[in-house]
Amino acid sequence: MKLVIGNKNYSSWSLRPWLLLTQAGIPFEEINVRLFHEGFAAEIARYSPAGKVPVLVDGDVTVWDSLAICEYVAERFPERQLWPADRAARAYARAICAEMHSGFGDLRSQMPMNVTAVLPGMGWNVAVQRDVDRVARIWTDARERHGAGGPFLFGQFSIADAFYAPVVSRFATYGVHLPDAAKPYADFILSLPSMQQWVEAARAERDFVAADEPYRTAPDWDAASGTVR
């Protein structure tokens, strides 16, 4: 099984299936495609005509959408129980994954994933705050209704946690203030060894768009901490 992903610093869509496979202990070969490299289009075309990451290749099966990949993995490895066993909880989990997959446009556009940077306050506006409030409400509701069995949204790790992990990363990058009921969940996801592994790999990357992040070329830019000294 192969998973084709983009830069770990920027590709929120790639993080979802990568975290799912890693956290669930499912072996896979990781193939990295540089998003900003001139050869990206030709490279990704080797795996998917859609021209985007992530892509899962499992023998003669190719899946090229993050939600479809997660669904496929859940079917392929039913013993991992990647959706909640309870029917009501499973329906709720699928609904919030679909909402994340298609929604939160203001948050996505104004606070793009940038794992290695620390940019408190950047990108905030009233519309973004509405998205933040909705995410916090989702986490709180899921934990209150279905989270009694453990620290994840539905107690045990599920696809829902993989889908909201990139938002946790965004909130850390932009210093987003979270309600007391939601913050422990975000802190817990950031502390996962699998998330820390992703972050460390992102720090080792050197690709960035200078026009979007001019501070990275500043003499006082500290790559280790993601801040300007």
PDB file of all heavy atoms in Angstrom, residues 70-86:
ATOM      1  N   CYS A  70      -9.943   7.486   3.397  1.00  0.00           N
ATOM      2  CA  CYS A  70     -10.223   7.050   4.762  1.00  0.00           C
ATOM      3  C   CYS A  70     -11.345   6.012   4.792  1.00  0.00           C
ATOM      4  O   CYS A  70     -11.282   5.033   5.549  1.00  0.00           O
ATOM      5  CB  CYS A  70     -10.570   8.254   5.632  1.00  0.00           C
ATOM      6  SG  CYS A  70      -9.161   9.360   5.930  1.00  0.00           S
ATOM      7  N   GLU A  71     -12.370   6.215   3.968  1.00  0.00           N
ATOM      8  CA  GLU A  71     -13.444   5.225   3.876  1.00  0.00           C
ATOM      9  C   GLU A  71     -12.904   3.890   3.363  1.00  0.00           C
ATOM     10  O   GLU A  71     -13.277   2.820   3.860  1.00  0.00           O
ATOM     11  CB  GLU A  71     -14.554   5.745   2.961  1.00  0.00           C
ATOM     12  CG  GLU A  71     -15.385   6.881   3.539  1.00  0.00           C
ATOM     13  CD  GLU A  71     -16.485   6.378   4.471  1.00  0.00           C
ATOM     14  OE1 GLU A  71     -16.429   5.204   4.914  1.00  0.00           O
ATOM     15  OE2 GLU A  71     -17.390   7.159   4.762  1.00  0.00           O
ATOM     16  N   TYR A  72     -12.052   3.951   2.365  1.00  0.00           N
ATOM     17  CA  TYR A  72     -11.483   2.729   1.806  1.00  0.00           C
ATOM     18  C   TYR A  72     -10.661   1.987   2.859  1.00  0.00           C
ATOM     19  O   TYR A  72     -10.770   0.759   3.006  1.00  0.00           O
ATOM     20  CB  TYR A  72     -10.603   3.064   0.597  1.00  0.00           C
ATOM     21  CG  TYR A  72      -9.898   1.854   0.014  1.00  0.00           C
ATOM     22  CD1 TYR A  72     -10.555   0.995  -0.852  1.00  0.00           C
ATOM     23  CD2 TYR A  72      -8.566   1.579   0.348  1.00  0.00           C
ATOM     24  CE1 TYR A  72      -9.905  -0.124  -1.370  1.00  0.00           C
ATOM     25  CE2 TYR A  72      -7.918   0.466  -0.162  1.00  0.00           C
ATOM     26  CZ  TYR A  72      -8.593  -0.385  -1.026  1.00  0.00           C
ATOM     27  OH  TYR A  72      -7.952  -1.493  -1.534  1.00  0.00           O
ATOM     28  N   VAL A  73      -9.845   2.722   3.593  1.00  0.00           N
ATOM     29  CA  VAL A  73      -9.012   2.102   4.621  1.00  0.00           C
ATOM     30  C   VAL A  73      -9.881   1.465   5.703  1.00  0.00           C
ATOM     31  O   VAL A  73      -9.589   0.364   6.183  1.00  0.00           O
ATOM     32  CB  VAL A  73      -8.045   3.138   5.226  1.00  0.00           C
ATOM     33  CG1 VAL A  73      -7.327   2.571   6.446  1.00  0.00           C
ATOM     34  CG2 VAL A  73      -7.031   3.598   4.183  1.00  0.00           C
ATOM     35  N   ALA A  74     -10.962   2.147   6.080  1.00  0.00           N
ATOM     36  CA  ALA A  74     -11.861   1.590   7.094  1.00  0.00           C
ATOM     37  C   ALA A  74     -12.488   0.278   6.623  1.00  0.00           C
ATOM     38  O   ALA A  74     -12.648  -0.664   7.411  1.00  0.00           O
ATOM     39  CB  ALA A  74     -12.953   2.597   7.435  1.00  0.00           C
ATOM     40  N   GLU A  75     -12.829   0.190   5.346  1.00  0.00           N
ATOM     41  CA  GLU A  75     -13.386  -1.044   4.789  1.00  0.00           C
ATOM     42  C   GLU A  75     -12.307  -2.123   4.647  1.00  0.00           C
ATOM     43  O   GLU A  75     -12.574  -3.303   4.865  1.00  0.00           O
ATOM     44  CB  GLU A  75     -14.009  -0.766   3.425  1.00  0.00           C
ATOM     45  CG  GLU A  75     -15.297   0.042   3.473  1.00  0.00           C
ATOM     46  CD  GLU A  75     -15.930   0.175   2.101  1.00  0.00           C
ATOM     47  OE1 GLU A  75     -15.374  -0.373   1.120  1.00  0.00           O
ATOM     48  OE2 GLU A  75     -16.976   0.825   2.011  1.00  0.00           O
ATOM     49  N   ARG A  76     -11.129  -1.700   4.280  1.00  0.00           N
ATOM     50  CA  ARG A  76     -10.022  -2.640   4.049  1.00  0.00           C
ATOM     51  C   ARG A  76      -9.540  -3.269   5.351  1.00  0.00           C
ATOM     52  O   ARG A  76      -9.094  -4.415   5.379  1.00  0.00           O
ATOM     53  CB  ARG A  76      -8.885  -1.861   3.380  1.00  0.00           C
ATOM     54  CG  ARG A  76      -7.625  -2.618   3.080  1.00  0.00           C
ATOM     55  CD  ARG A  76      -7.685  -3.390   1.804  1.00  0.00           C
ATOM     56  NE  ARG A  76      -6.357  -3.693   1.328  1.00  0.00           N
ATOM     57  CZ  ARG A  76      -5.529  -4.579   1.887  1.00  0.00           C
ATOM     58  NH1 ARG A  76      -5.907  -5.257   2.949  1.00  0.00           N
ATOM     59  NH2 ARG A  76      -4.329  -4.775   1.384  1.00  0.00           N
ATOM     60  N   PHE A  77      -9.628  -2.513   6.453  1.00  0.00           N
ATOM     61  CA  PHE A  77      -9.143  -2.986   7.741  1.00  0.00           C
ATOM     62  C   PHE A  77     -10.242  -2.840   8.796  1.00  0.00           C
ATOM     63  O   PHE A  77     -10.117  -2.053   9.736  1.00  0.00           O
ATOM     64  CB  PHE A  77      -7.894  -2.202   8.168  1.00  0.00           C
ATOM     65  CG  PHE A  77      -6.735  -2.323   7.218  1.00  0.00           C
ATOM     66  CD1 PHE A  77      -6.552  -1.381   6.206  1.00  0.00           C
ATOM     67  CD2 PHE A  77      -5.839  -3.380   7.317  1.00  0.00           C
ATOM     68  CE1 PHE A  77      -5.478  -1.483   5.325  1.00  0.00           C
ATOM     69  CE2 PHE A  77      -4.773  -3.492   6.436  1.00  0.00           C
ATOM     70  CZ  PHE A  77      -4.597  -2.552   5.429  1.00  0.00           C
ATOM     71  N   PRO A  78     -11.316  -3.598   8.680  1.00  0.00           N
ATOM     72  CA  PRO A  78     -12.441  -3.440   9.607  1.00  0.00           C
ATOM     73  C   PRO A  78     -12.061  -3.725  11.054  1.00  0.00           C
ATOM     74  O   PRO A  78     -12.685  -3.190  11.976  1.00  0.00           O
ATOM     75  CB  PRO A  78     -13.470  -4.453   9.085  1.00  0.00           C
ATOM     76  CG  PRO A  78     -12.678  -5.446   8.297  1.00  0.00           C
ATOM     77  CD  PRO A  78     -11.565  -4.665   7.685  1.00  0.00           C
ATOM     78  N   GLU A  79     -11.036  -4.541  11.254  1.00  0.00           N
ATOM     79  CA  GLU A  79     -10.632  -4.878  12.619  1.00  0.00           C
ATOM     80  C   GLU A  79     -10.049  -3.675  13.363  1.00  0.00           C
ATOM     81  O   GLU A  79      -9.972  -3.671  14.598  1.00  0.00           O
ATOM     82  CB  GLU A  79      -9.612  -6.029  12.600  1.00  0.00           C
ATOM     83  CG  GLU A  79      -8.235  -5.668  12.089  1.00  0.00           C
ATOM     84  CD  GLU A  79      -8.117  -5.593  10.571  1.00  0.00           C
ATOM     85  OE1 GLU A  79      -9.155  -5.786   9.886  1.00  0.00           O
ATOM     86  OE2 GLU A  79      -7.006  -5.344  10.076  1.00  0.00           O
ATOM     87  N   ARG A  80      -9.637  -2.624  12.622  1.00  0.00           N
ATOM     88  CA  ARG A  80      -9.090  -1.422  13.265  1.00  0.00           C
ATOM     89  C   ARG A  80     -10.188  -0.524  13.827  1.00  0.00           C
ATOM     90  O   ARG A  80      -9.908   0.409  14.555  1.00  0.00           O
ATOM     91  CB  ARG A  80      -8.230  -0.629  12.283  1.00  0.00           C
ATOM     92  CG  ARG A  80      -7.005  -1.337  11.719  1.00  0.00           C
ATOM     93  CD  ARG A  80      -6.068  -1.850  12.798  1.00  0.00           C
ATOM     94  NE  ARG A  80      -4.691  -1.980  12.356  1.00  0.00           N
ATOM     95  CZ  ARG A  80      -4.189  -2.997  11.680  1.00  0.00           C
ATOM     96  NH1 ARG A  80      -4.976  -4.001  11.321  1.00  0.00           N
ATOM     97  NH2 ARG A  80      -2.915  -3.035  11.351  1.00  0.00           N
ATOM     98  N   GLN A  81     -11.434  -0.766  13.454  1.00  0.00           N
ATOM     99  CA  GLN A  81     -12.595  -0.004  13.950  1.00  0.00           C
ATOM    100  C   GLN A  81     -12.364   1.508  13.834  1.00  0.00           C
ATOM    101  O   GLN A  81     -12.393   2.248  14.815  1.00  0.00           O
ATOM    102  CB  GLN A  81     -12.895  -0.384  15.400  1.00  0.00           C
ATOM    103  CG  GLN A  81     -13.304  -1.845  15.557  1.00  0.00           C
ATOM    104  CD  GLN A  81     -13.658  -2.217  16.987  1.00  0.00           C
ATOM    105  OE1 GLN A  81     -13.062  -1.708  17.933  1.00  0.00           O
ATOM    106  NE2 GLN A  81     -14.630  -3.089  17.145  1.00  0.00           N
ATOM    107  N   LEU A  82     -12.177   1.952  12.607  1.00  0.00           N
ATOM    108  CA  LEU A  82     -11.843   3.356  12.353  1.00  0.00           C
ATOM    109  C   LEU A  82     -13.057   4.273  12.315  1.00  0.00           C
ATOM    110  O   LEU A  82     -12.910   5.492  12.265  1.00  0.00           O
ATOM    111  CB  LEU A  82     -11.046   3.452  11.049  1.00  0.00           C
ATOM    112  CG  LEU A  82      -9.705   2.706  11.108  1.00  0.00           C
ATOM    113  CD1 LEU A  82      -9.001   2.737   9.770  1.00  0.00           C
ATOM    114  CD2 LEU A  82      -8.810   3.288  12.210  1.00  0.00           C
ATOM    115  N   TRP A  83     -14.248   3.711  12.315  1.00  0.00           N
ATOM    116  CA  TRP A  83     -15.478   4.443  12.604  1.00  0.00           C
ATOM    117  C   TRP A  83     -16.016   3.935  13.941  1.00  0.00           C
ATOM    118  O   TRP A  83     -15.809   2.766  14.269  1.00  0.00           O
ATOM    119  CB  TRP A  83     -16.533   4.232  11.522  1.00  0.00           C
ATOM    120  CG  TRP A  83     -16.304   4.911  10.220  1.00  0.00           C
ATOM    121  CD1 TRP A  83     -16.127   4.313   9.002  1.00  0.00           C
ATOM    122  CD2 TRP A  83     -16.263   6.319   9.977  1.00  0.00           C
ATOM    123  NE1 TRP A  83     -15.969   5.256   8.024  1.00  0.00           N
ATOM    124  CE2 TRP A  83     -16.041   6.501   8.586  1.00  0.00           C
ATOM    125  CE3 TRP A  83     -16.374   7.453  10.785  1.00  0.00           C
ATOM    126  CZ2 TRP A  83     -15.941   7.769   7.994  1.00  0.00           C
ATOM    127  CZ3 TRP A  83     -16.276   8.713  10.203  1.00  0.00           C
ATOM    128  CH2 TRP A  83     -16.064   8.855   8.829  1.00  0.00           C
ATOM    129  N   PRO A  84     -16.724   4.762  14.698  1.00  0.00           N
ATOM    130  CA  PRO A  84     -17.310   4.279  15.957  1.00  0.00           C
ATOM    131  C   PRO A  84     -18.253   3.107  15.717  1.00  0.00           C
ATOM    132  O   PRO A  84     -18.960   3.047  14.707  1.00  0.00           O
ATOM    133  CB  PRO A  84     -18.078   5.503  16.479  1.00  0.00           C
ATOM    134  CG  PRO A  84     -17.408   6.679  15.838  1.00  0.00           C
ATOM    135  CD  PRO A  84     -16.961   6.200  14.493  1.00  0.00           C
ATOM    136  N   ALA A  85     -18.270   2.169  16.652  1.00  0.00           N
ATOM    137  CA  ALA A  85     -19.122   0.985  16.518  1.00  0.00           C
ATOM    138  C   ALA A  85     -20.602   1.318  16.687  1.00  0.00           C
ATOM    139  O   ALA A  85     -21.455   0.730  16.015  1.00  0.00           O
ATOM    140  CB  ALA A  85     -18.700  -0.063  17.549  1.00  0.00           C
ATOM    141  N   ASP A  86     -20.915   2.249  17.562  1.00  0.00           N
ATOM    142  CA  ASP A  86     -22.303   2.636  17.803  1.00  0.00           C
ATOM    143  C   ASP A  86     -22.877   3.355  16.583  1.00  0.00           C
ATOM    144  O   ASP A  86     -22.238   4.240  16.016  1.00  0.00           O
ATOM    145  CB  ASP A  86     -22.369   3.551  19.026  1.00  0.00           C
ATOM    146  CG  ASP A  86     -23.768   4.050  19.295  1.00  0.00           C
ATOM    147  OD1 ASP A  86     -24.593   3.280  19.799  1.00  0.00           O
ATOM    148  OD2 ASP A  86     -24.034   5.238  18.970  1.00  0.00           O
TER     149      ASP A  86
END
